[in-house]
Amino acid sequence: MTTSNIADNLTVFIPTINRTQILRRLLEYYKAFNTPFHLVIADSSSQENKAINKETVESFGHSLLAIEYLPYETTLHPYLKWADMVQKAQTKYIVLNADDDFLIPAGIEQCIQYLERHEDFVCCQGNYLGFTYTKDHGLQWKTLYPYAAADIERKQFEDPSDRLSHHLMQYYEMLYAVHRTELFQLVLKEMVDNDINPTAFGLYFIDLLQLVYGKSMQVNTLYAVRRFESRV
């Protein structure tokens, strides 16, 4: 799959709430790298901040491949917002992008290429790198959410029960991976239809139900970068 095909087959949803400068910073990043993603801003901010975010999105509309704005009620639980917004995707793949994460286009492309070659895998992600800057220590980097070799391999069991048990023994989050859209839509719809408590069980339910359907892959590539707070 070429870069242009990836752009046609991927939707990146960016949930945000009352972080107008963080959202603008992320869009500036995607603009600077001419990122070939279809971006959808799912905004639960206050009315005042919605107006700011909508203006921001409109200001980037001519510089990005595609950008769309979806307003949501401020009181709507994040998981219920996610469940609704992903149903609007019509592309083959989908990514949830936290508004303080900078996705690496090459890493996203590598994950999509992997899923294209392996139909029995339901999602794929790579490595996260954290950065911070202080006056005294300058720019600092560290690996976030490190994966051991066993972590990478454990989701590749053929038996779903083995995948589930290993995931629970050594848990890591799959929410922000590249997902197959139809399955991810199904999983989130099941969470809502079965009245799963999103606060207590939402993240676990999403991960575990996906692993019932297939395997998860962690590729050894830079996938996303985010800022962390230094305690030095």
Side-chain angles (χ1 to χ4, degrees), residues 19 78 91-92 109 187 190 210:
R19 303 211 293 184
T91 51
K92 186 174 182 179
E109 290 181 16
V187 167
E190 287 293 322
Q210 284 197 96

Side-chain angles (χ1 to χ4, degrees), residues 14-124:
I14 306 173
T16 190
I17 179 168
N18 294 324
R19 303 211 293 184
T20 57
Q21 292 303 313
I22 296 292
L23 178 63
R24 173 172 283 278
R25 182 183 69 173
L26 179 62
L27 296 181
E28 289 281 6
Y29 163 78
Y30 286 137
K31 175 185 176 182
F33 286 90
N34 195 27
T35 306
F37 299 154
H38 176 203
L39 305 175
V40 179
I41 314 302
D43 187 10
S44 302
S45 301
S46 66
Q47 289 303 118
E48 180 181 358
N49 285 330
K50 275 191 175 80
I52 295 172
N53 285 339
K54 189 173 182 181
E55 183 177 344
T56 296
V57 169
E58 290 173 351
S59 72
F60 282 93
H62 298 294
S63 59
L64 294 171
L65 177 67
I67 184 168
E68 187 178 344
Y69 179 81
L70 291 178
Y72 283 92
E73 292 295 326
T74 304
T75 56
L76 185 65
H77 193 284
Y79 286 88
L80 300 181
K81 177 172 78 171
W82 301 342
D84 180 81
M85 71 185 187
V86 300
Q87 301 304 323
K88 305 178 188 305
Q90 299 180 350
T91 51
K92 186 174 182 179
Y93 299 105
I94 188 172
V95 175
L96 267 60
N97 182 178
D99 60 9
D100 57 350
D101 283 356
F102 302 94
L103 297 180
I104 307 300
I108 299 296
E109 290 181 16
Q110 188 170 335
C111 287
I112 290 177
Q113 296 285 6
Y114 188 91
L115 292 174
E116 284 286 295
R117 297 192 304 267
H118 300 86
E119 291 293 330
D120 53 337
F121 282 75
V122 297
C123 64
C124 179

Side-chain angles (χ1 to χ4, degrees), residues 120-140:
D120 53 337
F121 282 75
V122 297
C123 64
C124 179
Q125 60 186 327
N127 301 316
Y128 274 76
L129 195 63
F131 72 93
T132 191
Y133 180 86
T134 62
K135 182 177 180 181
D136 294 335
H137 297 88
L139 187 64
Q140 302 171 70

